[in-house]
Amino acid sequence: MAINQDKLHEFLGKAIVDFGAVFSAALIRIGDKLGLYKALASGGPQTPAELARKTNTTERYVREWLSNQAAGGYVNYDAATGKFHMSEEQTFAMADESSPVSCRELFSAHWLRRKPRSN
């Protein structure tokens, strides 16, 4: 078997992106359920400790969640202040329930359990 290294790396890159997406989707759902997006969006730049206090959650887990979300581009991180924040666009898509482009349902598994309508 002759393996083309470039094609192999291209394929593995796609697989790794998909693998990361699986974990990010779960964390996005958790952030929505715990109100982390809404609290971050409404509270301005915050440290993990500040967001944890605001949402009555555990700082360590909030720090891990925020780091994942910043790596994925769902929130922003300011290294100079150690605070995380959301842009208006991120807020519109991730924290605003009335937004026509809300991503909340994209990461919800409940739509998979819905029964199709019979005509």
Short mmCIF file of all heavy atoms in Angstrom, two decimals, residues 30-82:
data_model
loop_
_atom_site.label_atom_id
_atom_site.label_comp_id
_atom_site.label_asym_id
_atom_site.label_seq_id
_atom_site.Cartn_x
_atom_site.Cartn_y
_atom_site.Cartn_z
N ILE A 30 -23.88 22.83 27.51
CA ILE A 30 -23.74 23.06 28.95
C ILE A 30 -23.76 24.56 29.25
O ILE A 30 -24.43 25.01 30.18
CB ILE A 30 -22.45 22.40 29.48
CG1 ILE A 30 -22.61 20.88 29.49
CG2 ILE A 30 -22.07 22.94 30.86
CD1 ILE A 30 -21.33 20.12 29.73
N GLY A 31 -23.03 25.33 28.46
CA GLY A 31 -23.00 26.78 28.67
C GLY A 31 -24.36 27.42 28.53
O GLY A 31 -24.72 28.33 29.27
N ASP A 32 -25.14 26.91 27.59
CA ASP A 32 -26.50 27.41 27.41
C ASP A 32 -27.37 27.04 28.60
O ASP A 32 -28.06 27.88 29.17
CB ASP A 32 -27.09 26.86 26.11
CG ASP A 32 -28.49 27.35 25.85
OD1 ASP A 32 -28.75 28.56 26.02
OD2 ASP A 32 -29.35 26.52 25.48
N LYS A 33 -27.34 25.77 28.99
CA LYS A 33 -28.18 25.29 30.09
C LYS A 33 -27.85 25.98 31.42
O LYS A 33 -28.75 26.25 32.22
CB LYS A 33 -28.03 23.77 30.27
CG LYS A 33 -28.80 22.99 29.25
CD LYS A 33 -30.27 23.22 29.43
CE LYS A 33 -31.10 22.25 28.63
NZ LYS A 33 -32.51 22.56 28.72
N LEU A 34 -26.58 26.26 31.67
CA LEU A 34 -26.18 26.89 32.93
C LEU A 34 -26.29 28.42 32.89
O LEU A 34 -26.04 29.07 33.90
CB LEU A 34 -24.74 26.49 33.29
CG LEU A 34 -24.52 25.02 33.61
CD1 LEU A 34 -23.05 24.74 33.88
CD2 LEU A 34 -25.37 24.60 34.80
N GLY A 35 -26.62 28.96 31.74
CA GLY A 35 -26.75 30.41 31.63
C GLY A 35 -25.43 31.15 31.55
O GLY A 35 -25.36 32.35 31.80
N LEU A 36 -24.37 30.43 31.18
CA LEU A 36 -23.05 31.05 31.13
C LEU A 36 -22.94 32.09 30.02
O LEU A 36 -22.35 33.16 30.22
CB LEU A 36 -21.96 29.98 30.98
CG LEU A 36 -21.86 28.97 32.13
CD1 LEU A 36 -20.88 27.86 31.78
CD2 LEU A 36 -21.46 29.67 33.41
N TYR A 37 -23.50 31.79 28.85
CA TYR A 37 -23.45 32.77 27.76
C TYR A 37 -24.20 34.04 28.14
O TYR A 37 -23.70 35.15 27.94
CB TYR A 37 -24.06 32.19 26.48
CG TYR A 37 -23.24 31.13 25.82
CD1 TYR A 37 -23.69 29.82 25.76
CD2 TYR A 37 -22.00 31.41 25.25
CE1 TYR A 37 -22.96 28.83 25.15
CE2 TYR A 37 -21.25 30.43 24.63
CZ TYR A 37 -21.73 29.13 24.59
OH TYR A 37 -20.99 28.15 23.98
N LYS A 38 -25.40 33.88 28.66
CA LYS A 38 -26.21 35.06 29.01
C LYS A 38 -25.51 35.90 30.09
O LYS A 38 -25.49 37.12 30.01
CB LYS A 38 -27.58 34.63 29.51
CG LYS A 38 -28.49 34.13 28.41
CD LYS A 38 -29.84 33.78 28.98
CE LYS A 38 -30.72 33.20 27.91
NZ LYS A 38 -32.03 32.83 28.41
N ALA A 39 -24.96 35.24 31.09
CA ALA A 39 -24.29 35.96 32.17
C ALA A 39 -23.03 36.66 31.68
O ALA A 39 -22.74 37.78 32.09
CB ALA A 39 -23.95 34.99 33.31
N LEU A 40 -22.30 36.01 30.80
CA LEU A 40 -21.09 36.64 30.26
C LEU A 40 -21.46 37.80 29.36
O LEU A 40 -20.85 38.87 29.41
CB LEU A 40 -20.25 35.61 29.50
CG LEU A 40 -18.90 36.10 28.97
CD1 LEU A 40 -17.99 36.55 30.11
CD2 LEU A 40 -18.22 35.00 28.17
N ALA A 41 -22.48 37.63 28.56
CA ALA A 41 -22.91 38.68 27.63
C ALA A 41 -23.44 39.90 28.38
O ALA A 41 -23.18 41.04 27.99
CB ALA A 41 -23.98 38.14 26.69
N SER A 42 -24.15 39.67 29.46
CA SER A 42 -24.77 40.79 30.18
C SER A 42 -23.84 41.44 31.20
O SER A 42 -24.08 42.56 31.64
CB SER A 42 -26.04 40.33 30.89
OG SER A 42 -25.73 39.43 31.94
N GLY A 43 -22.76 40.75 31.56
CA GLY A 43 -21.90 41.25 32.62
C GLY A 43 -20.62 41.91 32.17
O GLY A 43 -19.81 42.33 32.99
N GLY A 44 -20.40 41.99 30.87
CA GLY A 44 -19.15 42.56 30.38
C GLY A 44 -17.99 41.63 30.65
O GLY A 44 -18.18 40.48 31.06
N PRO A 45 -16.76 42.11 30.43
CA PRO A 45 -15.58 41.26 30.65
C PRO A 45 -15.53 40.73 32.08
O PRO A 45 -15.75 41.48 33.03
CB PRO A 45 -14.41 42.21 30.36
CG PRO A 45 -14.98 43.23 29.44
CD PRO A 45 -16.40 43.43 29.91
N GLN A 46 -15.28 39.42 32.20
CA GLN A 46 -15.28 38.78 33.51
C GLN A 46 -14.17 37.74 33.60
O GLN A 46 -13.83 37.09 32.62
CB GLN A 46 -16.61 38.08 33.75
CG GLN A 46 -17.80 39.02 33.76
CD GLN A 46 -19.11 38.26 33.81
OE1 GLN A 46 -19.35 37.52 34.75
NE2 GLN A 46 -19.93 38.43 32.78
N THR A 47 -13.68 37.55 34.81
CA THR A 47 -12.76 36.45 35.09
C THR A 47 -13.61 35.19 35.29
O THR A 47 -14.82 35.28 35.52
CB THR A 47 -11.95 36.70 36.38
OG1 THR A 47 -12.84 36.73 37.49
CG2 THR A 47 -11.13 37.99 36.28
N PRO A 48 -12.98 34.02 35.24
CA PRO A 48 -13.75 32.81 35.55
C PRO A 48 -14.39 32.86 36.93
O PRO A 48 -15.53 32.42 37.10
CB PRO A 48 -12.69 31.70 35.46
CG PRO A 48 -11.70 32.23 34.47
CD PRO A 48 -11.64 33.71 34.77
N ALA A 49 -13.70 33.43 37.90
CA ALA A 49 -14.25 33.52 39.26
C ALA A 49 -15.50 34.40 39.28
O ALA A 49 -16.50 34.06 39.93
CB ALA A 49 -13.20 34.05 40.22
N GLU A 50 -15.46 35.51 38.57
CA GLU A 50 -16.61 36.41 38.53
C GLU A 50 -17.81 35.74 37.86
O GLU A 50 -18.93 35.85 38.35
CB GLU A 50 -16.23 37.70 37.79
CG GLU A 50 -15.24 38.56 38.56
CD GLU A 50 -14.62 39.66 37.72
OE1 GLU A 50 -14.57 39.55 36.47
OE2 GLU A 50 -14.16 40.65 38.33
N LEU A 51 -17.57 35.07 36.74
CA LEU A 51 -18.66 34.39 36.05
C LEU A 51 -19.21 33.25 36.89
O LEU A 51 -20.42 33.03 36.94
CB LEU A 51 -18.20 33.89 34.68
CG LEU A 51 -19.27 33.25 33.81
CD1 LEU A 51 -20.44 34.20 33.55
CD2 LEU A 51 -18.67 32.76 32.50
N ALA A 52 -18.34 32.52 37.57
CA ALA A 52 -18.79 31.42 38.43
C ALA A 52 -19.68 31.94 39.56
O ALA A 52 -20.72 31.36 39.86
CB ALA A 52 -17.59 30.67 39.00
N ARG A 53 -19.28 33.04 40.18
CA ARG A 53 -20.11 33.63 41.24
C ARG A 53 -21.46 34.07 40.69
O ARG A 53 -22.49 33.84 41.31
CB ARG A 53 -19.39 34.83 41.88
CG ARG A 53 -18.44 34.46 42.99
CD ARG A 53 -18.00 35.66 43.81
NE ARG A 53 -17.34 36.69 43.02
CZ ARG A 53 -16.05 36.68 42.67
NH1 ARG A 53 -15.29 35.67 43.03
NH2 ARG A 53 -15.54 37.66 41.97
N LYS A 54 -21.43 34.70 39.53
CA LYS A 54 -22.67 35.22 38.93
C LYS A 54 -23.65 34.10 38.57
O LYS A 54 -24.86 34.29 38.62
CB LYS A 54 -22.33 36.04 37.69
CG LYS A 54 -23.46 36.81 37.12
CD LYS A 54 -22.98 37.73 36.01
CE LYS A 54 -24.09 38.60 35.53
NZ LYS A 54 -23.65 39.55 34.52
N THR A 55 -23.13 32.92 38.22
CA THR A 55 -23.98 31.80 37.78
C THR A 55 -24.10 30.70 38.82
O THR A 55 -24.69 29.66 38.55
CB THR A 55 -23.41 31.21 36.47
OG1 THR A 55 -22.05 30.80 36.68
CG2 THR A 55 -23.49 32.21 35.33
N ASN A 56 -23.51 30.92 40.00
CA ASN A 56 -23.54 29.92 41.06
C ASN A 56 -23.00 28.57 40.58
O ASN A 56 -23.61 27.52 40.78
CB ASN A 56 -24.96 29.77 41.63
CG ASN A 56 -24.97 29.06 42.96
OD1 ASN A 56 -24.01 29.17 43.74
ND2 ASN A 56 -26.03 28.32 43.24
N THR A 57 -21.85 28.64 39.92
CA THR A 57 -21.18 27.44 39.42
C THR A 57 -19.77 27.39 39.99
O THR A 57 -19.36 28.28 40.74
CB THR A 57 -21.13 27.45 37.87
OG1 THR A 57 -20.55 28.68 37.43
CG2 THR A 57 -22.52 27.31 37.26
N THR A 58 -19.02 26.37 39.65
CA THR A 58 -17.67 26.17 40.19
C THR A 58 -16.62 26.83 39.29
O THR A 58 -16.59 26.58 38.09
CB THR A 58 -17.39 24.66 40.31
OG1 THR A 58 -18.41 24.07 41.12
CG2 THR A 58 -16.03 24.40 40.93
N GLU A 59 -15.77 27.64 39.91
CA GLU A 59 -14.78 28.41 39.15
C GLU A 59 -13.90 27.53 38.26
O GLU A 59 -13.66 27.86 37.10
CB GLU A 59 -13.89 29.22 40.10
CG GLU A 59 -12.82 29.99 39.36
CD GLU A 59 -11.84 30.71 40.27
OE1 GLU A 59 -12.06 30.74 41.51
OE2 GLU A 59 -10.86 31.23 39.74
N ARG A 60 -13.42 26.42 38.78
CA ARG A 60 -12.52 25.58 37.99
C ARG A 60 -13.19 25.11 36.70
O ARG A 60 -12.60 25.14 35.62
CB ARG A 60 -12.07 24.35 38.78
CG ARG A 60 -11.18 23.45 37.93
CD ARG A 60 -10.59 22.29 38.73
NE ARG A 60 -9.74 21.50 37.88
CZ ARG A 60 -10.16 20.44 37.20
NH1 ARG A 60 -11.41 20.05 37.27
NH2 ARG A 60 -9.33 19.76 36.45
N TYR A 61 -14.43 24.68 36.79
CA TYR A 61 -15.14 24.20 35.60
C TYR A 61 -15.47 25.35 34.65
O TYR A 61 -15.42 25.18 33.43
CB TYR A 61 -16.41 23.44 36.00
CG TYR A 61 -16.10 22.20 36.80
CD1 TYR A 61 -16.71 21.97 38.02
CD2 TYR A 61 -15.17 21.27 36.34
CE1 TYR A 61 -16.42 20.83 38.77
CE2 TYR A 61 -14.88 20.13 37.08
CZ TYR A 61 -15.50 19.92 38.29
OH TYR A 61 -15.21 18.81 39.02
N VAL A 62 -15.80 26.50 35.22
CA VAL A 62 -16.07 27.67 34.38
C VAL A 62 -14.80 28.09 33.64
O VAL A 62 -14.84 28.43 32.46
CB VAL A 62 -16.64 28.84 35.22
CG1 VAL A 62 -16.67 30.13 34.42
CG2 VAL A 62 -18.03 28.48 35.73
N ARG A 63 -13.66 28.02 34.31
CA ARG A 63 -12.38 28.35 33.65
C ARG A 63 -12.12 27.42 32.48
O ARG A 63 -11.74 27.85 31.39
CB ARG A 63 -11.23 28.27 34.65
CG ARG A 63 -9.90 28.70 34.06
CD ARG A 63 -8.71 28.62 35.04
NE ARG A 63 -9.05 28.76 36.43
CZ ARG A 63 -9.05 27.75 37.31
NH1 ARG A 63 -8.72 26.53 36.94
NH2 ARG A 63 -9.37 27.97 38.57
N GLU A 64 -12.33 26.13 32.67
CA GLU A 64 -12.14 25.15 31.59
C GLU A 64 -13.12 25.41 30.46
O GLU A 64 -12.77 25.35 29.28
CB GLU A 64 -12.30 23.73 32.12
CG GLU A 64 -11.29 23.32 33.18
CD GLU A 64 -9.86 23.26 32.67
OE1 GLU A 64 -9.66 23.06 31.45
OE2 GLU A 64 -8.95 23.42 33.49
N TRP A 65 -14.36 25.71 30.81
CA TRP A 65 -15.38 25.98 29.80
C TRP A 65 -15.02 27.22 29.00
O TRP A 65 -15.08 27.22 27.77
CB TRP A 65 -16.75 26.16 30.48
CG TRP A 65 -17.85 26.44 29.52
CD1 TRP A 65 -18.55 25.55 28.77
CD2 TRP A 65 -18.36 27.73 29.17
NE1 TRP A 65 -19.48 26.19 27.98
CE2 TRP A 65 -19.37 27.54 28.20
CE3 TRP A 65 -18.07 29.03 29.57
CZ2 TRP A 65 -20.09 28.59 27.64
CZ3 TRP A 65 -18.78 30.08 29.02
CH2 TRP A 65 -19.78 29.84 28.06
N LEU A 66 -14.66 28.30 29.70
CA LEU A 66 -14.28 29.53 29.02
C LEU A 66 -13.08 29.33 28.10
O LEU A 66 -13.05 29.86 26.99
CB LEU A 66 -13.97 30.64 30.04
CG LEU A 66 -15.18 31.29 30.71
CD1 LEU A 66 -14.74 32.10 31.92
CD2 LEU A 66 -15.94 32.15 29.72
N SER A 67 -12.11 28.58 28.55
CA SER A 67 -10.91 28.33 27.73
C SER A 67 -11.29 27.59 26.45
O SER A 67 -10.81 27.92 25.36
CB SER A 67 -9.88 27.53 28.52
OG SER A 67 -9.42 28.29 29.62
N ASN A 68 -12.16 26.59 26.57
CA ASN A 68 -12.63 25.88 25.38
C ASN A 68 -13.39 26.81 24.44
O ASN A 68 -13.19 26.79 23.23
CB ASN A 68 -13.52 24.70 25.78
CG ASN A 68 -14.22 24.09 24.59
OD1 ASN A 68 -15.32 24.54 24.21
ND2 ASN A 68 -13.62 23.09 23.98
N GLN A 69 -14.26 27.62 25.00
CA GLN A 69 -15.07 28.51 24.19
C GLN A 69 -14.21 29.58 23.50
O GLN A 69 -14.47 29.94 22.35
CB GLN A 69 -16.15 29.16 25.04
CG GLN A 69 -17.15 28.18 25.61
CD GLN A 69 -17.84 27.39 24.53
OE1 GLN A 69 -18.70 27.89 23.83
NE2 GLN A 69 -17.46 26.13 24.36
N ALA A 70 -13.19 30.05 24.18
CA ALA A 70 -12.28 31.03 23.56
C ALA A 70 -11.47 30.37 22.44
O ALA A 70 -11.28 30.97 21.38
CB ALA A 70 -11.35 31.62 24.62
N ALA A 71 -11.04 29.15 22.66
CA ALA A 71 -10.29 28.44 21.62
C ALA A 71 -11.14 28.22 20.38
O ALA A 71 -10.64 28.26 19.25
CB ALA A 71 -9.77 27.10 22.15
N GLY A 72 -12.43 28.02 20.57
CA GLY A 72 -13.34 27.81 19.46
C GLY A 72 -13.90 29.08 18.85
O GLY A 72 -14.60 29.05 17.85
N GLY A 73 -13.60 30.24 19.46
CA GLY A 73 -14.07 31.51 18.93
C GLY A 73 -15.47 31.89 19.36
O GLY A 73 -16.05 32.83 18.83
N TYR A 74 -16.03 31.20 20.34
CA TYR A 74 -17.38 31.51 20.82
C TYR A 74 -17.38 32.63 21.84
O TYR A 74 -18.40 33.28 22.06
CB TYR A 74 -18.06 30.27 21.40
CG TYR A 74 -18.34 29.23 20.34
CD1 TYR A 74 -17.48 28.17 20.13
CD2 TYR A 74 -19.46 29.34 19.52
CE1 TYR A 74 -17.73 27.23 19.14
CE2 TYR A 74 -19.72 28.41 18.53
CZ TYR A 74 -18.84 27.36 18.34
OH TYR A 74 -19.10 26.44 17.36
N VAL A 75 -16.26 32.84 22.51
CA VAL A 75 -16.05 33.98 23.40
C VAL A 75 -14.64 34.49 23.14
O VAL A 75 -13.85 33.83 22.44
CB VAL A 75 -16.24 33.62 24.90
CG1 VAL A 75 -17.60 33.00 25.16
CG2 VAL A 75 -15.13 32.71 25.41
N ASN A 76 -14.31 35.63 23.69
CA ASN A 76 -12.98 36.22 23.51
C ASN A 76 -12.25 36.29 24.84
O ASN A 76 -12.87 36.39 25.90
CB ASN A 76 -13.12 37.64 22.93
CG ASN A 76 -13.84 37.62 21.60
OD1 ASN A 76 -13.47 36.88 20.71
ND2 ASN A 76 -14.90 38.41 21.49
N TYR A 77 -10.92 36.27 24.77
CA TYR A 77 -10.09 36.34 25.96
C TYR A 77 -9.10 37.48 25.83
O TYR A 77 -8.46 37.64 24.80
CB TYR A 77 -9.33 35.02 26.15
CG TYR A 77 -8.39 35.04 27.32
CD1 TYR A 77 -8.86 35.12 28.63
CD2 TYR A 77 -7.01 34.98 27.12
CE1 TYR A 77 -7.99 35.14 29.70
CE2 TYR A 77 -6.13 35.00 28.20
CZ TYR A 77 -6.63 35.08 29.49
OH TYR A 77 -5.78 35.10 30.55
N ASP A 78 -8.97 38.27 26.88
CA ASP A 78 -8.00 39.36 26.94
C ASP A 78 -6.90 38.94 27.91
O ASP A 78 -7.10 38.95 29.12
CB ASP A 78 -8.68 40.64 27.40
CG ASP A 78 -7.75 41.84 27.43
OD1 ASP A 78 -6.52 41.66 27.34
OD2 ASP A 78 -8.26 42.97 27.55
N ALA A 79 -5.75 38.58 27.37
CA ALA A 79 -4.64 38.09 28.19
C ALA A 79 -4.13 39.16 29.16
O ALA A 79 -3.65 38.84 30.24
CB ALA A 79 -3.51 37.58 27.31
N ALA A 80 -4.24 40.41 28.77
CA ALA A 80 -3.74 41.49 29.62
C ALA A 80 -4.55 41.62 30.91
O ALA A 80 -3.99 41.93 31.97
CB ALA A 80 -3.76 42.82 28.85
N THR A 81 -5.85 41.35 30.84
CA THR A 81 -6.70 41.48 32.03
C THR A 81 -7.09 40.13 32.63
O THR A 81 -7.59 40.09 33.76
CB THR A 81 -8.00 42.24 31.68
OG1 THR A 81 -8.74 41.46 30.72
CG2 THR A 81 -7.71 43.62 31.12
N GLY A 82 -6.91 39.06 31.85
CA GLY A 82 -7.33 37.74 32.32
C GLY A 82 -8.84 37.57 32.29
O GLY A 82 -9.39 36.70 32.96
#
